[in-house]
Amino acid sequence: MSSRILLAIAAVATIAAGAARADEADASQYAVQFQGTRTKAEVQAEAATVSATRSTEPAGSRVAAQVKSGIDAKEVRARAAQALRQGLIPRGEAG
Protein backbone atom coordinates (compact mmCIF):
# COMPACT_ATOMS: atom_id res chain seq x y z
CA MET A 1 0.00 0.00 0.00
CA SER A 2 2.83 2.42 0.74
CA SER A 3 4.28 1.92 -2.75
CA ARG A 4 0.95 3.03 -4.30
CA ILE A 5 0.94 6.18 -2.20
CA LEU A 6 4.55 6.90 -3.08
CA LEU A 7 3.81 6.40 -6.78
CA ALA A 8 0.79 8.74 -6.55
CA ILE A 9 2.85 11.43 -4.83
CA ALA A 10 5.54 11.15 -7.52
CA ALA A 11 2.92 11.48 -10.27
CA VAL A 12 1.39 14.58 -8.68
CA ALA A 13 4.82 16.15 -8.22
CA THR A 14 5.69 15.51 -11.87
CA ILE A 15 2.46 17.14 -13.06
CA ALA A 16 2.99 20.13 -10.77
CA ALA A 17 6.55 20.59 -12.03
CA GLY A 18 5.33 20.55 -15.63
CA ALA A 19 2.65 23.14 -14.88
CA ALA A 20 5.22 25.44 -13.22
CA ARG A 21 7.23 25.61 -16.45
CA ALA A 22 4.31 26.55 -18.70
CA ASP A 23 5.52 30.16 -19.15
CA GLU A 24 7.72 31.40 -21.98
CA ALA A 25 11.33 30.29 -21.66
CA ASP A 26 12.91 33.34 -23.26
CA ALA A 27 11.43 35.97 -20.88
CA SER A 28 10.63 38.21 -23.84
CA GLN A 29 8.03 40.10 -21.82
CA TYR A 30 10.89 41.61 -19.77
CA ALA A 31 12.93 42.82 -22.76
CA VAL A 32 13.99 46.47 -22.66
CA GLN A 33 13.47 48.55 -25.75
CA PHE A 34 16.43 50.82 -26.50
CA GLN A 35 16.56 53.60 -29.05
CA GLY A 36 20.00 55.10 -29.70
CA THR A 37 20.58 58.70 -30.82
CA ARG A 38 23.83 58.21 -32.73
CA THR A 39 24.28 56.73 -36.16
CA LYS A 40 26.12 53.52 -36.87
CA ALA A 41 28.93 55.46 -38.62
CA GLU A 42 29.48 57.64 -35.52
CA VAL A 43 29.77 54.63 -33.26
CA GLN A 44 32.17 52.86 -35.63
CA ALA A 45 34.35 55.99 -35.92
CA GLU A 46 34.57 56.28 -32.13
CA ALA A 47 35.41 52.59 -31.79
CA ALA A 48 38.21 52.95 -34.34
CA THR A 49 39.83 55.86 -32.47
CA VAL A 50 39.59 54.14 -29.09
CA SER A 51 41.26 50.96 -30.30
CA ALA A 52 44.03 52.96 -31.99
CA THR A 53 44.90 54.92 -28.83
CA ARG A 54 44.47 52.20 -26.21
CA SER A 55 47.50 50.25 -25.01
CA THR A 56 47.25 46.47 -25.15
CA GLU A 57 49.87 46.09 -22.44
CA PRO A 58 48.37 45.16 -19.06
CA ALA A 59 48.84 47.70 -16.29
CA GLY A 60 51.90 47.04 -14.16
CA SER A 61 53.42 44.49 -16.49
CA ARG A 62 56.63 46.34 -17.17
CA VAL A 63 59.72 45.49 -15.16
CA ALA A 64 61.54 48.41 -13.60
CA ALA A 65 65.00 49.13 -14.92
CA GLN A 66 67.83 47.79 -12.82
CA VAL A 67 69.34 50.40 -10.52
CA LYS A 68 73.03 51.01 -11.07
CA SER A 69 75.13 51.20 -7.92
CA GLY A 70 78.72 52.13 -7.28
CA ILE A 71 79.01 49.78 -4.30
CA ASP A 72 79.87 46.11 -4.71
CA ALA A 73 77.99 43.27 -2.99
CA LYS A 74 80.68 42.67 -0.34
CA GLU A 75 80.43 46.27 0.86
CA VAL A 76 76.63 46.06 1.07
CA ARG A 77 76.84 42.85 3.12
CA ALA A 78 79.43 44.40 5.45
CA ARG A 79 77.25 47.47 6.02
CA ALA A 80 74.19 45.30 6.67
CA ALA A 81 76.08 43.17 9.20
CA GLN A 82 77.33 46.29 10.98
CA ALA A 83 73.80 47.79 11.11
CA LEU A 84 72.47 44.51 12.50
CA ARG A 85 75.14 44.48 15.23
CA GLN A 86 74.31 48.08 16.17
CA GLY A 87 70.59 47.24 16.45
CA LEU A 88 69.53 49.45 13.54
CA ILE A 89 67.78 46.57 11.77
CA PRO A 90 64.88 44.99 13.69
CA ARG A 91 64.74 41.19 13.94
CA GLY A 92 61.86 38.83 14.52
CA GLU A 93 58.51 39.95 15.85
CA ALA A 94 59.94 42.60 18.16
CA GLY A 95 60.57 44.92 15.20
Side-chain angles (χ1 to χ4, degrees):
M1 179 141 165
S2 64
S3 64
R4 288 183 184 179
I5 295 173
L6 185 60
L7 185 61
I9 291 173
V12 171
T14 304
I15 292 170
R21 296 182 188 164
D23 194 16
E24 293 183 26
D26 64 351
S28 61
Q29 67 268 23
Y30 301 115
V32 177
Q33 297 296 325
F34 179 76
Q35 183 64 36
T37 57
R38 299 190 305 168
T39 65
K40 183 177 179 179
E42 290 174 336
V43 173
Q44 288 176 342
E46 182 182 354
T49 59
V50 168
S51 64
T53 59
R54 182 169 290 154
S55 173
T56 58
E57 181 178 295
S61 66
R62 288 194 176 183
V63 178
Q66 188 174 7
V67 178
K68 302 295 181 189
S69 176
I71 304 172
D72 63 344
K74 289 181 182 181
E75 179 67 26
V76 172
R77 287 188 190 105
R79 287 185 185 181
Q82 182 181 5
L84 187 60
R85 283 192 299 271
Q86 292 175 350
L88 301 174
I89 300 175
R91 286 179 27 175
E93 295 180 15

